[in-house]
Amino acid sequence: MLIAGDVDGTKTNLAIFPADNEPATPVDRMILIEPSILSADLLRLGEQAKAAEDAKADGLQIDVMDGQFAPNITFGPDLVRALRNVVKLKLDVHLMINEPERMLIPFADAGADRIIIHEESCTHFYRVLQSIKALKIEAGVAVNPGTPLEAIQEVLDLVDLVQVMTVSPGFGGQRFITSQLDKVKRLQQTLTEHHVKIPIAVDGGIHLDTAQLAVAAGATVLVAGSSIFNNTGSVAQNMTALRASITK
Ligand code: DX5
């Protein structure tokens, strides 16, 4: 598979040209990068969020964990409200909590543009997704590495995004689970077969060597934490490097 594209500093346009033995389906896609603030310097969150915005990030993912669904406790609606006052970026709230329906209104009121819930976290997730949509914001569904795609098949026409977890929820800096690339490919095929045009996000372990693999599999939203927020480069330098890695 050959990947060619151009980076105009804000968006990455990609054309995918098949290798000789693959069917000819040149595709033109916008690849979005959403930094995950879980890996940011927590004592400088506003500054780091602003740096991501200045570096033309396409959104910010805010990982919310309750210490039950995921083995960590992170952020609440107050942080979303505070970030809303600092950046205009899309605020993407990733709820890794049990019974997410309890927290939809507080996060929507705080300024979330999208709320992503996990299929594994609630009994009536169709109703919860409808509740998010009723708040006039986008709804996304995420699946853990061990969850089959069949579990979300019935909601593909309801959601605005599907997020394939490429690590198990809980922490930044984990290793990318390569087996999830095949899941991304199968999801891409299922969406095409059902004529559903929604973005596929991947979350976890997205770095200079894994981003291109995820894009080639069909992902169009890259959620990245430790490859953006780290001590080896500025947010701007890291964003540029990650963008360049998917067009090299
Ligand atoms: C993990 C979170 C991810 C994580 C990504 O539970 O959902 O968003 O912060 O961090 P990296 O990119 O470092 O794996």
Side-chain angles (χ1 to χ4, degrees), residues 36 38-39 61 63 65 94 96 163 165 167-174 203-207 223-227:
S36 155
L38 187 64
S39 295
Q61 188 144 125
D63 295 314
M65 303 180 202
H94 179 192
M96 289 164 273
Q163 181 151 307
M165 295 302 299
V167 296
S168 294
F171 308 95
Q174 298 182 77
D203 179 21
I206 295 297
H207 287 276
V223 179
S226 51
S227 61

Side-chain angles (χ1 to χ4, degrees), residues 156-187:
L156 292 179
D157 59 351
L158 178 62
V159 294
D160 303 290
L161 171 124
V162 177
Q163 181 151 307
V164 174
M165 295 302 299
T166 40
V167 296
S168 294
F171 308 95
Q174 298 182 77
R175 181 187 289 273
F176 182 84
I177 302 174
T178 315
S179 62
Q180 299 307 295
L181 290 170
D182 185 61
K183 188 191 271 183
V184 173
K185 275 187 195 143
R186 285 183 279 119
L187 176 57

Side-chain angles (χ1 to χ4, degrees), residues 25-27 30 50 57 67 92 107 118 128 146 182 194 197 216 227:
T25 55
V27 177
M30 197 77 81
K50 198 74 190 80
D92 207 356
F107 280 106
H118 272 260
V128 180
D182 185 61
H194 291 78
K197 285 192 171 25
S227 61

